[in-house]
Amino acid sequence: MKPSPIDWRARLEACGFEGAELVPATYAAHVLWSRREPLAAEAALREHLDQQPDDKDSLKMLISILQENGRASEVVQLRRHLHERRCHEMRIPEPAREAAIAYMEAAETGGAPPERMADAHVAALFDLYAPSFDDSLRGFLSYRAPERLMDAVRSVLGGRRELDVLDLGCGTGLAGPLLRPFARRLEGIDLSTGMLDKARERGVYDVLRAGEITAELAASTASHGLIVAVDVLVYFGALETLFQHVARRLAPGGLFAFTVEKGTAPGYRLQPTARYVHHLDYLRSCASAAYLHPVLEREETLRKQAGQPVTGHVVVLSRSESKRIPPEGSGPTL
C-alpha cells in the first residue's frame, strides 16, 4: 500500500477521540469515516493493510471510501486483489481464475457479463458452501424455491406418476424428497462433489453424478418425463443452448420446470449478488426456439437477500407431443 501523508491519529484526536495512539487502525478507520474524514480513514486502512494485505473487510472498506470520493480509477487494482484472494480461498484452479475474476468484476461493476458462471467457479463455490448450505438457505435466507416449484409441478401433473425425473443442479438434494413421489427413477446432476455427498445422504435418488448440466444433457440419450432446475439458472445468463438440450431429453408431453429470479430489463442481467436475473419475455423466446411451450407461469417469493424478499418466476414448460425436436446441429423441423 502506498503511504499517505495524513496523520490519522492526529485527525482522530481532533475529532475528540482520546488515546488515539492506542486505537487499532481498523477501528479508527470506521470512526473517521463516520466523522466525514475519508482521507484520514484511508490512511488508517492503508497502514493496517501494509501489515495485513489480505484483510478482505479492510479492502472492501477502502474500496468504498475511494469510490465514494470519486476515485474509481484507483479501485481496479484493489478490487482485483480482493477477487484473487477470493479465488484462492475457494481453491479455484489457476487456469480458471481469470474467468472467475471477470465474472466477479462484471457482477460488482455492472460491466458486460459472461454468458454464465464458469464450471470451476461453480464447483469451487458450492464445494465451499456444502457443509452449511441447507442451514444457511433454510434459516437465514428463508429459501423456499423447491416448494414453490413443486406446487406448480403438482398442479400441472395432476395424477401423473411413475416418471423418469432428472434434477439439474440438484445440490444437496433439497428437492429430492419432493420429487420422489412422482418418480419411477430419480436422477440428479451437479458440478459440486461436496453437494452431491450431501444429496447422497438423503437416500432418495436412484442415481447421482457429477457433471456440467449442459454437457450431460448433450451427451445423454435418455428420455425424461420431468426435468427440473431449482435455483440453478441464476448461474446461467444465456439459456438458449440449455433449453434446446433439455427439449431433446424430454419425452413427448414431458415437462421442464424451473425457477429464475425476476428481471425487469430485456434479456438477462448479472446482479451484484453474482446471480443472473431473467426477463419473462426472454424465457418465452428461449422456450419457443426449443419447441417448448409454457403451461404455467407464476411470480413467487423464492428467498430473501439482505432481509428483503427476492421475487422470481416459477415456470413449467411442456414439449409438444406432435412436433419432433430437431437433432443437434440441424435446422428446425416443424
Side-chain angles (χ1 to χ4, degrees):
M1 290 288 164
K2 63 184 179 182
S4 170
I6 302 294
D7 184 344
W8 64 264
R9 291 176 179 83
R11 294 309 308 153
L12 194 60
E13 287 185 350
C15 290
F17 206 100
E18 297 182 0
E21 68 279 1
L22 302 176
V23 177
T26 51
Y27 180 69
H30 282 280
V31 172
L32 289 162
W33 196 15
S34 70
R35 301 288 181 88
R36 300 183 183 280
E37 292 274 357
L39 293 179
E42 176 189 346
L45 286 171
R46 290 189 183 277
E47 180 178 304
H48 169 73
L49 286 166
D50 279 339
Q51 303 300 317
Q52 299 186 44
D54 296 329
D55 183 342
K56 291 187 298 181
D57 289 337
S58 294
L59 282 167
K60 289 177 182 177
M61 186 177 179
L62 180 55
I63 287 169
S64 296
I65 289 173
L66 294 174
Q67 288 177 325
E68 188 176 283
N69 287 274
R71 295 161 62 190
S73 62
E74 299 176 48
V75 166
V76 176
Q77 185 176 354
L78 289 173
R79 195 164 51 225
R80 180 176 178 86
H81 181 59
L82 193 59
H83 296 330
E84 287 172 344
R85 292 305 307 162
R86 183 64 173 152
C87 288
H88 177 74
E89 290 175 358
M90 286 194 290
R91 300 180 182 178
I92 296 175
E94 286 285 353
R97 289 191 180 182
E98 283 303 318
I101 289 170
Y103 186 94
M104 295 180 212
E105 182 75 5
E108 289 192 9
T109 65
E115 291 192 346
R116 52 160 299 185
M117 184 183 279
D119 293 354
H121 191 175
V122 174
L125 177 66
F126 287 100
D127 280 346
L128 180 67
Y129 287 155
S132 60
F133 188 76
D134 288 6
D135 290 341
S136 176
L137 278 181
R138 292 303 206 182
F140 184 67
L141 298 178
S142 300
Y143 175 69
R144 294 296 180 269
E147 288 81 4
R148 301 292 182 265
L149 185 63
M150 290 315 301
D151 285 345
V153 168
R154 192 176 296 109
S155 69
V156 173
L157 282 177
R160 292 169 62 187
R161 298 290 188 273
E162 294 296 305
L163 301 171
D164 288 328
V165 180
L166 179 60
D167 187 0
L168 299 177
C170 61
T172 62
L174 281 172
L178 304 176
L179 290 166
R180 187 73 254 183
F182 302 99
R184 172 179 59 194
R185 177 179 172 84
L186 178 57
E187 298 182 39
I189 304 172
D190 203 276
L191 267 168
S192 167
T193 55
M195 300 291 265
L196 288 171
D197 288 342
K198 291 292 185 181
R200 205 166 281 115
E201 292 174 4
R202 297 184 188 275
V204 298
Y205 290 87
D206 297 296
V207 176
L208 287 165
R209 62 182 184 273
E212 192 280 313
I213 60 176
T214 308
E216 289 285 325
L217 290 166
S220 175
T221 58
S223 181
H224 302 278
L226 174 63
I227 299 177
V228 301
V230 189
D231 203 44
V232 173
L233 305 188
V234 293
Y235 300 104
F236 286 75
L239 296 175
E240 290 87 349
T241 300
L242 177 61
F243 275 36
Q244 289 163 13
H245 286 307
V246 166
R248 294 185 182 105
R249 299 281 69 81
L250 282 175
L255 302 177
F256 176 37
F258 60 88
T259 64
V260 296
E261 292 183 10
K262 178 184 177 182
T264 56
Y268 59 86
R269 298 272 177 104
L270 182 59
Q271 301 298 289
T273 57
R275 294 158 64 90
Y276 290 96
V277 295
H278 296 83
H279 195 282
L280 187 57
D281 286 345
Y282 175 69
L283 301 175
R284 290 168 175 165
S285 173
C286 291
S288 177
Y291 300 97
L292 300 171
H293 65 270
V295 292
L296 184 147
E297 298 171 345
R298 292 177 179 170
E299 279 192 21
E300 299 276 9
T301 297
L302 303 178
R303 64 197 290 267
K304 289 184 178 179
Q305 184 74 36
Q308 298 301 309
V310 174
T311 302
H313 295 296
V314 174
V315 179
V316 182
L317 305 174
S318 176
R319 175 184 163 177
S320 170
E321 296 195 34
S322 59
K323 289 183 179 179
R324 182 171 65 87
I325 306 299
E328 188 173 4
S330 69
T333 301
L334 300 178

